[in-house]
């Protein structure tokens, strides 16, 4: 990849890619692979399937680029493709579950020793148990940095639903964190 | 604000989506309520973990795999659209060498015994040029489409 191509603006790269310039598209892949893989990894959970979904998203983007009119940001457009790819892949696999059902599995109770790193690991683990829609909304908000409005547009869901999903997911995570770690441990770690 | 109201606006407080005046009322309640302080600490831990999720990189070779698997239908060099450029180019060449082309055509026609055939408005020369141009345009389109099809065949 040439130095020159790396410094070319995104807009130029996008329009060149739309005309079939593979080198330009290669720069975009390089730029967005981490973002797209992380996103699909969080939605799909399984690393292998996440990589397949990220790859498929790039291929779909390449094919659809001539139709990209630049009305939204290129990144948002790419996220939408990735979201659709992951969600349709997830739908093939298993039926949707409700939040209470997914998070209702009892835990063994607070552990003895705890560190800050463990709090994050616990939360991440609980995130992976969330129903797909909740996990997707949470990922798009916190990881991709999209607003409620952008998420609603991208997922074709009412904004109220998106907001409710995110709020309920965070509340469920908070409850699980308390159950699994225990307040005494948390207090010690957080306020040390 | 009582505890219930505070708990309802807890998330917006942590993500800084709460209006400034509500924020002040929230803070005032917090100072004197241990339970809400605990709720806030928990939600802060959740939100800050979610906000700081690292970017994960796919395995090495991912980009190359993506680039290799791109369908090559839109390879510009071999697209049939080139025929649109090639056709007028060839027609221009035919025009330049119309004298020679007409002689060749005339010779061919007389050999096949068709020299008696005359076109009323076009001279034989003009008709020959027009015919040749049509043939060449067709050929250019065919070559373009053939190259395109071959390219697609090679990639899939
Ligand atoms: Zn309170």
């Amino acid at each position: 990849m040439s130095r020159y191509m790396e410094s070319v603006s995104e807009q130029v790269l996008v329009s060149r890619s739309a005309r079939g310039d593979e080198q330009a598209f290669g720069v975009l892949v390089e730029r967005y692979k981490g973002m797209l893989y992380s996103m699909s990894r969080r939605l799909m959970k399984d690393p292998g399937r996440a990589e397949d979904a990220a790859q498929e998203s790039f291929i779909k983007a390449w094919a659809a680029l001539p139709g990209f009119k630049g009305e939204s940001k290129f990144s948002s457009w790419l996220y939408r493709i990735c979201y659709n790819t992951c969600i349709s892949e997830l739908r093939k696999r298993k039926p949707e579950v409700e939040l209470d059902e997914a998070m209702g599995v009892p835990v063994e109770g607070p552990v003895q020793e705890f560190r800050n790193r463990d709090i994050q690991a616990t939360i991440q683990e609980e995130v992976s148990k969330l129903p797909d829609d909740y996990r997707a909304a949470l990922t798009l908000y916190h990881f991709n940095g999209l607003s409620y409005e952008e998420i609603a547009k991208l997922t074709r869901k009412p904004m109220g639903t998106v907001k409710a999903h995110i709020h309920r997911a965070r509340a469920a995570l908070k409850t699980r964190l308390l159950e699994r770690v225990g307040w005494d441990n948390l207090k010690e770690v957080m306020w040390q | 604000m009582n505890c219930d109201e505070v708990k309802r606006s807890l998330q917006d407080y942590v993500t800084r989506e709460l209006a400034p005046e509500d924020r002040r009322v929230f803070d005032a309640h917090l100072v004197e309520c241990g339970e809400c302080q605990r709720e806030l600490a928990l939600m802060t831990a959740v939100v800050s973990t979610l906000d700081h999720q690292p970017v994960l990189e796919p395995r090495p070779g991912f980009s190359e795999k993506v680039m290799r698997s791109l369908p090559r239908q839109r390879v510009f060099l071999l697209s049939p659209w080139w025929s649109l450029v090639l056709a007028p180019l060839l027609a221009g060449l035919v025009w330049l060498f119309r004298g020679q082309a007409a002689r060749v055509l005339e010779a061919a026609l007389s050999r096949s015994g068709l020299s008696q055939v005359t076109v009323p408005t076009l001279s034989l020369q003009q008709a020959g040029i027009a015919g040749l141009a049509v043939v060449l345009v067709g050929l250019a389109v065919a070559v373009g489409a053939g190259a395109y099809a071959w390219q697609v065949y090679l990639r899939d």
Side-chain angles (χ1 to χ4, degrees), chain B residues 4 8 39 62 81 84 97 104 107 110 146 149 155:
Chain B
D4 280 344
R8 262 200 299 279
E39 291 292 301
F62 173 80
W81 296 109
L84 293 181
F97 298 102
V104 169
S110 66
R155 296 297 172 182

Side-chain angles (χ1 to χ4, degrees), chain A residues 18 20 22 30 33-34 37-38 41-42 51 55 59 62 120 123 141-142 148 167 170 174 183 186, chain B residues 11-12 17 38-39 42 49-51 53-59 62-63 65 67 69 71-72 74:
Chain A
E22 283 186 22
E30 214 41 57
K33 66 174 182 187
Y37 173 70
S38 308
R41 174 77 185 270
R42 285 179 177 120
E51 213 172 275
Q55 182 181 352
I59 294 169
W62 167 256
Q120 285 159 17
I123 294 169
Y141 184 94
H142 286 285
Y148 294 124
H167 276 237
R170 287 191 200 124
K174 188 199 71 178
W183 178 239
L186 282 167
Chain B
Q11 296 195 24
D12 289 341
E17 286 166 274
R38 195 184 80 162
E39 291 292 301
L42 286 166
T49 301
L50 293 171
D51 274 341
Q53 298 177 87
V55 173
L56 308 167
E57 290 295 330
R59 281 175 300 173
F62 173 80
S63 308
K65 214 171 86 191
M67 295 313 288
S69 52
R72 297 304 201 280
R74 297 190 296 114

